[in-house]
Amino acid sequence: MYSDAKSAVLYNGQISRFFPVYRGVRQGSSLSSKLYLLYINDLLEELSDCRRGILVTDIHISSPVQADDIALISTNCCNMQTMVTICENYSIDWKFKFNPLKSIQLNFSKSKQHTDILLYNSSIQLEISARHVGVLLNSNLNSMDRTLQACRTLRSSALGLIKSGLHPSVISIDTCNRIVRQVCFTKAFFGCELWTEITNTEILLLERAQRYVCKSIQGLPRQTRSDMVNALIGWKSAESYIDERKLLFLGKLVLMKDSMLPKQIFLTRAMEFKYNCVKHQLGFIPDIHRILVNYRLSDFDTYLSTGHFPTYIQWKKTVKVAVQETEESLWRFRTQIDKDFKFFSRIHTLSKGLHPAWTFSRKHPLLIEQCRFIVNLCTLTRPYEEPFFLCDKCGRFFGDITIHIVLSCETFQSKRDKFWCDLIDIGPIEFSAYLHSLTDEDFLACILSCHTDFDLNEDERTMFQKACITNIYWMCAT
């Protein structure tokens, strides 16, 4: 595969002469990563044998590596210089070169005394923060820059997708939702499993960024209440998203082989925390313990005591159920103490996932505008407002314009009759009687939610949703 390897350069449609390639591996080949590991393994062993790294109890750590991204860890500059020199000599022996301009030095000590670390007689630049395998590290242990970067990434990537054609007026919100969650969230929250000691201010910034994206992909006004917006597409809070990722990461750590270095470090730190060996311990272990307590998960304590832990599939299901139940409980609490949510909680809840209008738009893309309109009405309708507005069409006072148009305004009587005819044509007469028996508020909640507890088959339920969406749009938007 690599004997007599040749390459050429393609530029402006012209191919250069082929020239022999004596070094490197083929980009994208499944074999390349394994060949590189074989090539660099001697360097890693030499760094480990020099014993100039750090100790976590009795575990020696010197050079964590991810692909060609090498990090050297040491407790003082003298040992660090020794390790850098080892890398330099190894590169000379094997005829390759590290780039000093792309190498960065981070000093995590409190004193911040700087000593030059030389690579090929060039000083390695000292920085406050840097990225390692995609995770932003800050030598001052300040996580605000990381949080702001995550917020910017989430907003920019989501808006970029929307501007490129992924717009709620073009494709269904269900598809848009899936793409944003899988692409934008994965990109913005990359490495969030290692985010510890997140402050309330940072949580608030992340929540605002998520709400902005949530409103953008649904095409809803910026003033829409955030808890309503998230519930309409079944989004949990940004904090719970991060917590879920951390809990799943915990499952992967626990189920690693005992011989693997990350597992050994994890168990050592976990036992230190359990038996209070370190005062004011920071990092992943105390953070994950707090999360486990918040979601009432005791599997980890059982694991530390007995060594028993569920399989990853079982753990994943347990985590998702625990996070969902906790989020629903918090959502119900927030909605119960705010009168603006009193009626909305009868229309839609977080546990229902996508609003039926959004689900309907997936099969009927030509009605996306009407679906978005009725979803918007769900967030604006307030049936408990005092009637102090005067209708210039019928001369009656009203509190909420939607309720007035749909239920009482005489000007729209013919449209209401048409709406009722569509409802009567759906199916059994018992369904019409059921709708007629509802109070005005219950009927309004029923048609705005596009859902009824009456037993309808799939076709009848689709007809009911279509009747609600088209007629309410016809009455209120025209």
Side-chain angles (χ1 to χ4, degrees), residues 99-375:
N99 191 342
L101 298 178
K102 292 185 178 181
S103 301
I104 293 175
Q105 177 187 173
L106 294 179
N107 185 358
F108 289 91
S109 66
K110 294 181 179 179
S111 63
K112 298 300 180 183
Q113 293 180 355
H114 175 56
T115 302
D116 286 341
I117 305 296
L118 301 179
L119 176 62
Y120 306 117
N121 296 322
S122 298
S123 178
I124 298 178
Q125 186 176 0
L126 179 66
E127 297 285 354
I128 296 177
S129 62
R131 285 191 176 275
H132 177 59
V133 293
V135 179
L136 185 64
L137 304 176
N138 188 286
S139 60
N140 295 327
L141 302 181
N142 181 5
S143 57
M144 182 57 72
D145 291 341
R146 177 193 63 199
T147 301
L148 293 175
Q149 181 61 40
C151 294
R152 287 191 292 266
T153 301
L154 183 59
R155 288 194 185 97
S156 60
S157 58
L159 292 180
L161 288 174
I162 291 174
K163 291 180 180 179
S164 65
L166 190 71
H167 197 274
S169 62
V170 179
I171 63 175
S172 70
I173 191 63
D174 186 25
T175 303
C176 190
N177 174 31
R178 291 174 183 270
I179 295 176
V180 168
R181 295 289 286 187
Q182 294 178 6
V183 176
C184 303
F185 273 68
T186 303
K187 183 178 180 181
F189 291 97
F190 180 79
C192 67
E193 295 86 349
L194 303 178
W195 295 1
T196 58
E197 304 296 328
I198 304 178
T199 64
N200 292 333
T201 302
E202 293 176 89
I203 291 294
L204 180 59
L205 291 173
L206 293 170
E207 296 289 356
R208 286 177 177 174
Q210 176 182 276
R211 294 164 188 168
Y212 175 82
V213 173
C214 188
K215 294 173 185 178
S216 298
I217 64 175
Q218 293 185 87
L220 297 176
R222 302 288 171 81
Q223 294 79 14
T224 309
R225 295 294 296 268
S226 300
D227 283 312
M228 295 181 181
V229 170
N230 288 341
L232 288 170
I233 56 176
W235 278 15
K236 299 185 288 290
S237 64
E239 183 178 11
S240 67
Y241 177 83
I242 296 173
D243 290 345
E244 184 176 333
R245 293 276 294 268
K246 289 180 179 179
L247 290 170
L248 295 179
F249 180 64
L250 170 67
K252 293 180 180 179
L253 276 176
V254 171
L255 297 173
M256 277 184 176
K257 295 181 179 179
D258 293 338
S259 59
M260 300 185 72
L261 182 61
K263 177 69 172 290
Q264 296 174 10
I265 298 173
F266 166 72
L267 288 177
T268 301
R269 299 286 288 171
M271 290 302 175
E272 288 178 345
F273 179 80
K274 181 179 180 180
Y275 295 106
N276 297 320
C277 298
V278 179
K279 292 184 178 180
H280 309 296
Q281 183 174 341
L282 302 176
F284 178 77
I285 298 299
D287 191 51
I288 199 66
H289 181 267
R290 173 189 58 81
I291 295 173
L292 289 166
V293 172
N294 290 343
Y295 293 102
R296 296 181 292 277
L297 295 170
S298 59
D299 300 79
F300 184 59
D301 293 331
T302 304
Y303 169 74
L304 292 180
S305 302
T306 65
H308 175 73
F309 197 82
T311 64
Y312 185 73
I313 295 177
Q314 293 173 334
W315 176 245
K316 187 175 182 179
K317 291 180 180 178
T318 302
V319 167
K320 288 186 177 296
V321 170
V323 172
Q324 184 67 28
E325 290 178 350
T326 303
E327 277 295 292
E328 289 177 11
S329 177
L330 292 174
W331 188 87
R332 285 193 297 268
F333 173 76
R334 290 194 298 266
T335 55
Q336 288 172 359
I337 62 176
D338 194 330
K339 66 177 183 178
D340 286 348
F341 290 96
K342 187 175 182 180
F343 183 68
F344 178 82
S345 59
R346 298 170 61 181
I347 298 175
H348 195 72
T349 61
L350 184 65
S351 60
K352 293 181 179 179
L354 279 175
H355 188 282
W358 290 136
T359 307
F360 180 84
S361 68
R362 180 172 51 191
K363 298 180 180 179
H364 303 81
L366 296 179
L367 297 177
I368 286 182
E369 181 182 354
Q370 290 86 334
C371 293
R372 185 169 62 252
F373 181 82
I374 196 172
V375 168

